Amino acid sequence: MIRALLGSRSLAFSVARSMFSPQARTVGEIMRGPGAAPAFGLSFLRVSSTRNISFDFTRGSKDRKKGKNRNDDEDEDEDDDDSSRRGKNKGKNSREEADEDAGVADDDFGIGKAEEAMNKTIQNLIEQFGQLRSSKANVGMFDALDVLIDGQKHKFPSVAQVSIFDARSLLVVVPDPDIRGPVEEAIKRVEGISPVPFQANSIKIPIPRVSQEYRESLQKTAEKTAESAKEGIRRARKDCLDKIKKNKNLSKDVVFRLEKQVQDLTDKKNEEITQKTKQKVKEILTQ
């Protein structure tokens, strides 16, 4: 067996002689002489004075274990470095996103202006609906009227107060009797309305019944007015989106978020117009 392992007669003989040595030696020591460092790969074979040959895997196992531990430590260090880099990159991205969001917060890119324009459009719609009279007394009927006083236009609510006198008539109170004439002239411009003097500073407004044909005509007018209002909403939306798209400093994510915000606002205002139109049409057809 020894000869098969060592492949030399003389070497095998030396090994055999070492069996009688009082000290245990390795094959590497036999080959290279006493005190020499054992050769790697031969240290596993140990010859003892008891003439027993044993295989010593201790050193090779320890070396392999050390190498494995070194590799594991290096892998852990690399993992730590990767985690550290990912953490830094994540922190950097978070700071960049925070800075970008702060920039967006400082400038709404015309969204506030667009909302203001949309609100104004809806307010104009409400005033126009107020002029579409039905058989029911409506205190907002004259809100959109302009009263001409000394060559200057004044909104009706700023010079007169309207209240319901009964189910089919209104009462208009004019605090300043000197402007009662201009107020009556403004009221007469509303189709089908004939003001009646009631007291020194007030005017009674009878609300006549309307025919079914007239109701259907008012319905079409209301729907057409609502469509014009929605066109105004779309114009405000387009102006705002154009301003956002022209800003080249915004990332795609920010642009997407702003566009969604504008669209949500547009949908909300269009729905408001739809609901007010349904309410007005119902009033026209049933009252």
PDB file of all heavy atoms in Angstrom, residues 22-42:
ATOM      1  N   PRO A  22      11.291   5.904  17.200  1.00  0.00           N
ATOM      2  CA  PRO A  22      10.533   6.197  18.426  1.00  0.00           C
ATOM      3  C   PRO A  22       9.625   7.406  18.292  1.00  0.00           C
ATOM      4  O   PRO A  22       8.812   7.639  19.140  1.00  0.00           O
ATOM      5  CB  PRO A  22      11.651   6.463  19.453  1.00  0.00           C
ATOM      6  CG  PRO A  22      12.799   6.939  18.633  1.00  0.00           C
ATOM      7  CD  PRO A  22      12.718   6.183  17.341  1.00  0.00           C
ATOM      8  N   GLN A  23       9.765   8.168  17.288  1.00  0.00           N
ATOM      9  CA  GLN A  23       8.933   9.376  17.105  1.00  0.00           C
ATOM     10  C   GLN A  23       8.090   9.232  15.850  1.00  0.00           C
ATOM     11  O   GLN A  23       8.549   8.699  14.850  1.00  0.00           O
ATOM     12  CB  GLN A  23       9.795  10.637  16.983  1.00  0.00           C
ATOM     13  CG  GLN A  23      10.584  10.926  18.237  1.00  0.00           C
ATOM     14  CD  GLN A  23      11.461  12.156  18.064  1.00  0.00           C
ATOM     15  OE1 GLN A  23      11.645  12.625  16.957  1.00  0.00           O
ATOM     16  NE2 GLN A  23      11.981  12.648  19.175  1.00  0.00           N
ATOM     17  N   ALA A  24       6.871   9.727  15.979  1.00  0.00           N
ATOM     18  CA  ALA A  24       5.987   9.691  14.805  1.00  0.00           C
ATOM     19  C   ALA A  24       6.436  10.722  13.813  1.00  0.00           C
ATOM     20  O   ALA A  24       6.787  11.834  14.172  1.00  0.00           O
ATOM     21  CB  ALA A  24       4.549   9.930  15.243  1.00  0.00           C
ATOM     22  N   ARG A  25       6.432  10.385  12.526  1.00  0.00           N
ATOM     23  CA  ARG A  25       6.853  11.338  11.485  1.00  0.00           C
ATOM     24  C   ARG A  25       5.855  11.271  10.333  1.00  0.00           C
ATOM     25  O   ARG A  25       5.181  10.265  10.143  1.00  0.00           O
ATOM     26  CB  ARG A  25       8.259  10.982  10.976  1.00  0.00           C
ATOM     27  CG  ARG A  25       9.315  10.927  12.075  1.00  0.00           C
ATOM     28  CD  ARG A  25      10.657  10.521  11.486  1.00  0.00           C
ATOM     29  NE  ARG A  25      11.148  11.539  10.597  1.00  0.00           N
ATOM     30  CZ  ARG A  25      12.164  11.328   9.744  1.00  0.00           C
ATOM     31  NH1 ARG A  25      12.715  10.141   9.634  1.00  0.00           N
ATOM     32  NH2 ARG A  25      12.577  12.316   8.955  1.00  0.00           N
ATOM     33  N   THR A  26       5.843  12.307   9.564  1.00  0.00           N
ATOM     34  CA  THR A  26       4.981  12.330   8.377  1.00  0.00           C
ATOM     35  C   THR A  26       5.781  11.925   7.171  1.00  0.00           C
ATOM     36  O   THR A  26       7.029  11.939   7.176  1.00  0.00           O
ATOM     37  CB  THR A  26       4.416  13.724   8.126  1.00  0.00           C
ATOM     38  OG1 THR A  26       5.486  14.605   7.836  1.00  0.00           O
ATOM     39  CG2 THR A  26       3.638  14.223   9.320  1.00  0.00           C
ATOM     40  N   VAL A  27       5.111  11.548   6.111  1.00  0.00           N
ATOM     41  CA  VAL A  27       5.789  11.169   4.879  1.00  0.00           C
ATOM     42  C   VAL A  27       6.593  12.330   4.337  1.00  0.00           C
ATOM     43  O   VAL A  27       7.667  12.176   3.787  1.00  0.00           O
ATOM     44  CB  VAL A  27       4.754  10.688   3.845  1.00  0.00           C
ATOM     45  CG1 VAL A  27       5.423  10.400   2.518  1.00  0.00           C
ATOM     46  CG2 VAL A  27       4.062   9.449   4.370  1.00  0.00           C
ATOM     47  N   GLY A  28       6.051  13.522   4.490  1.00  0.00           N
ATOM     48  CA  GLY A  28       6.767  14.708   4.000  1.00  0.00           C
ATOM     49  C   GLY A  28       8.099  14.865   4.673  1.00  0.00           C
ATOM     50  O   GLY A  28       9.102  15.226   4.045  1.00  0.00           O
ATOM     51  N   GLU A  29       8.193  14.587   5.981  1.00  0.00           N
ATOM     52  CA  GLU A  29       9.460  14.689   6.698  1.00  0.00           C
ATOM     53  C   GLU A  29      10.447  13.638   6.211  1.00  0.00           C
ATOM     54  O   GLU A  29      11.655  13.872   6.130  1.00  0.00           O
ATOM     55  CB  GLU A  29       9.190  14.537   8.198  1.00  0.00           C
ATOM     56  CG  GLU A  29       8.468  15.734   8.795  1.00  0.00           C
ATOM     57  CD  GLU A  29       8.100  15.495  10.244  1.00  0.00           C
ATOM     58  OE1 GLU A  29       8.136  14.317  10.674  1.00  0.00           O
ATOM     59  OE2 GLU A  29       7.757  16.481  10.936  1.00  0.00           O
ATOM     60  N   ILE A  30       9.919  12.450   5.942  1.00  0.00           N
ATOM     61  CA  ILE A  30      10.794  11.376   5.446  1.00  0.00           C
ATOM     62  C   ILE A  30      11.395  11.762   4.120  1.00  0.00           C
ATOM     63  O   ILE A  30      12.583  11.577   3.864  1.00  0.00           O
ATOM     64  CB  ILE A  30      10.007  10.065   5.321  1.00  0.00           C
ATOM     65  CG1 ILE A  30       9.540   9.603   6.697  1.00  0.00           C
ATOM     66  CG2 ILE A  30      10.821   8.976   4.636  1.00  0.00           C
ATOM     67  CD1 ILE A  30       8.579   8.443   6.664  1.00  0.00           C
ATOM     68  N   MET A  31      10.550  12.355   3.231  1.00  0.00           N
ATOM     69  CA  MET A  31      11.015  12.691   1.888  1.00  0.00           C
ATOM     70  C   MET A  31      11.966  13.871   1.883  1.00  0.00           C
ATOM     71  O   MET A  31      12.910  13.918   1.119  1.00  0.00           O
ATOM     72  CB  MET A  31       9.826  12.996   0.978  1.00  0.00           C
ATOM     73  CG  MET A  31       8.934  11.794   0.734  1.00  0.00           C
ATOM     74  SD  MET A  31       7.485  12.272  -0.203  1.00  0.00           S
ATOM     75  CE  MET A  31       8.308  12.828  -1.703  1.00  0.00           C
ATOM     76  N   ARG A  32      11.735  14.807   2.767  1.00  0.00           N
ATOM     77  CA  ARG A  32      12.501  16.052   2.690  1.00  0.00           C
ATOM     78  C   ARG A  32      13.479  16.207   3.825  1.00  0.00           C
ATOM     79  O   ARG A  32      14.231  17.150   3.864  1.00  0.00           O
ATOM     80  CB  ARG A  32      11.530  17.233   2.693  1.00  0.00           C
ATOM     81  CG  ARG A  32      10.635  17.203   1.462  1.00  0.00           C
ATOM     82  CD  ARG A  32       9.518  18.176   1.536  1.00  0.00           C
ATOM     83  NE  ARG A  32       9.972  19.481   2.054  1.00  0.00           N
ATOM     84  CZ  ARG A  32       9.315  20.620   1.884  1.00  0.00           C
ATOM     85  NH1 ARG A  32       8.205  20.615   1.216  1.00  0.00           N
ATOM     86  NH2 ARG A  32       9.766  21.734   2.395  1.00  0.00           N
ATOM     87  N   GLY A  33      13.460  15.249   4.775  1.00  0.00           N
ATOM     88  CA  GLY A  33      14.411  15.285   5.867  1.00  0.00           C
ATOM     89  C   GLY A  33      13.801  15.844   7.118  1.00  0.00           C
ATOM     90  O   GLY A  33      12.790  16.544   7.070  1.00  0.00           O
ATOM     91  N   PRO A  34      14.416  15.594   8.266  1.00  0.00           N
ATOM     92  CA  PRO A  34      13.894  16.048   9.552  1.00  0.00           C
ATOM     93  C   PRO A  34      13.852  17.571   9.631  1.00  0.00           C
ATOM     94  O   PRO A  34      14.744  18.244   9.128  1.00  0.00           O
ATOM     95  CB  PRO A  34      14.894  15.459  10.565  1.00  0.00           C
ATOM     96  CG  PRO A  34      15.583  14.372   9.840  1.00  0.00           C
ATOM     97  CD  PRO A  34      15.631  14.756   8.412  1.00  0.00           C
ATOM     98  N   GLY A  35      12.811  18.057  10.257  1.00  0.00           N
ATOM     99  CA  GLY A  35      12.688  19.518  10.475  1.00  0.00           C
ATOM    100  C   GLY A  35      12.133  20.275   9.310  1.00  0.00           C
ATOM    101  O   GLY A  35      11.860  21.462   9.415  1.00  0.00           O
ATOM    102  N   ALA A  36      12.005  19.636   8.136  1.00  0.00           N
ATOM    103  CA  ALA A  36      11.466  20.335   6.960  1.00  0.00           C
ATOM    104  C   ALA A  36       9.963  20.437   7.074  1.00  0.00           C
ATOM    105  O   ALA A  36       9.318  19.612   7.692  1.00  0.00           O
ATOM    106  CB  ALA A  36      11.855  19.558   5.699  1.00  0.00           C
ATOM    107  N   ALA A  37       9.464  21.462   6.467  1.00  0.00           N
ATOM    108  CA  ALA A  37       8.001  21.652   6.471  1.00  0.00           C
ATOM    109  C   ALA A  37       7.345  20.577   5.659  1.00  0.00           C
ATOM    110  O   ALA A  37       7.843  20.210   4.585  1.00  0.00           O
ATOM    111  CB  ALA A  37       7.659  23.023   5.898  1.00  0.00           C
ATOM    112  N   PRO A  38       6.260  20.036   6.103  1.00  0.00           N
ATOM    113  CA  PRO A  38       5.597  18.946   5.359  1.00  0.00           C
ATOM    114  C   PRO A  38       5.057  19.439   4.037  1.00  0.00           C
ATOM    115  O   PRO A  38       4.586  20.549   3.934  1.00  0.00           O
ATOM    116  CB  PRO A  38       4.460  18.528   6.290  1.00  0.00           C
ATOM    117  CG  PRO A  38       4.210  19.712   7.146  1.00  0.00           C
ATOM    118  CD  PRO A  38       5.527  20.383   7.328  1.00  0.00           C
ATOM    119  N   ALA A  39       5.231  18.595   3.048  1.00  0.00           N
ATOM    120  CA  ALA A  39       4.726  18.951   1.716  1.00  0.00           C
ATOM    121  C   ALA A  39       3.223  18.812   1.686  1.00  0.00           C
ATOM    122  O   ALA A  39       2.670  17.883   2.243  1.00  0.00           O
ATOM    123  CB  ALA A  39       5.372  18.035   0.676  1.00  0.00           C
ATOM    124  N   PHE A  40       2.562  19.796   1.008  1.00  0.00           N
ATOM    125  CA  PHE A  40       1.110  19.765   0.909  1.00  0.00           C
ATOM    126  C   PHE A  40       0.687  18.558   0.087  1.00  0.00           C
ATOM    127  O   PHE A  40       1.260  18.280  -0.965  1.00  0.00           O
ATOM    128  CB  PHE A  40       0.600  21.045   0.241  1.00  0.00           C
ATOM    129  CG  PHE A  40      -0.896  21.072   0.145  1.00  0.00           C
ATOM    130  CD1 PHE A  40      -1.643  21.399   1.259  1.00  0.00           C
ATOM    131  CD2 PHE A  40      -1.534  20.736  -1.029  1.00  0.00           C
ATOM    132  CE1 PHE A  40      -3.006  21.428   1.192  1.00  0.00           C
ATOM    133  CE2 PHE A  40      -2.900  20.745  -1.094  1.00  0.00           C
ATOM    134  CZ  PHE A  40      -3.642  21.099   0.016  1.00  0.00           C
ATOM    135  N   GLY A  41      -0.269  17.826   0.597  1.00  0.00           N
ATOM    136  CA  GLY A  41      -0.755  16.649  -0.113  1.00  0.00           C
ATOM    137  C   GLY A  41      -0.190  15.359   0.447  1.00  0.00           C
ATOM    138  O   GLY A  41      -0.738  14.307   0.207  1.00  0.00           O
ATOM    139  N   LEU A  42       0.958  15.447   1.185  1.00  0.00           N
ATOM    140  CA  LEU A  42       1.542  14.245   1.767  1.00  0.00           C
ATOM    141  C   LEU A  42       1.390  14.227   3.278  1.00  0.00           C
ATOM    142  O   LEU A  42       1.713  13.258   3.929  1.00  0.00           O
ATOM    143  CB  LEU A  42       3.031  14.156   1.413  1.00  0.00           C
ATOM    144  CG  LEU A  42       3.336  13.988  -0.083  1.00  0.00           C
ATOM    145  CD1 LEU A  42       4.845  13.984  -0.293  1.00  0.00           C
ATOM    146  CD2 LEU A  42       2.717  12.722  -0.627  1.00  0.00           C
TER     147      LEU A  42
END
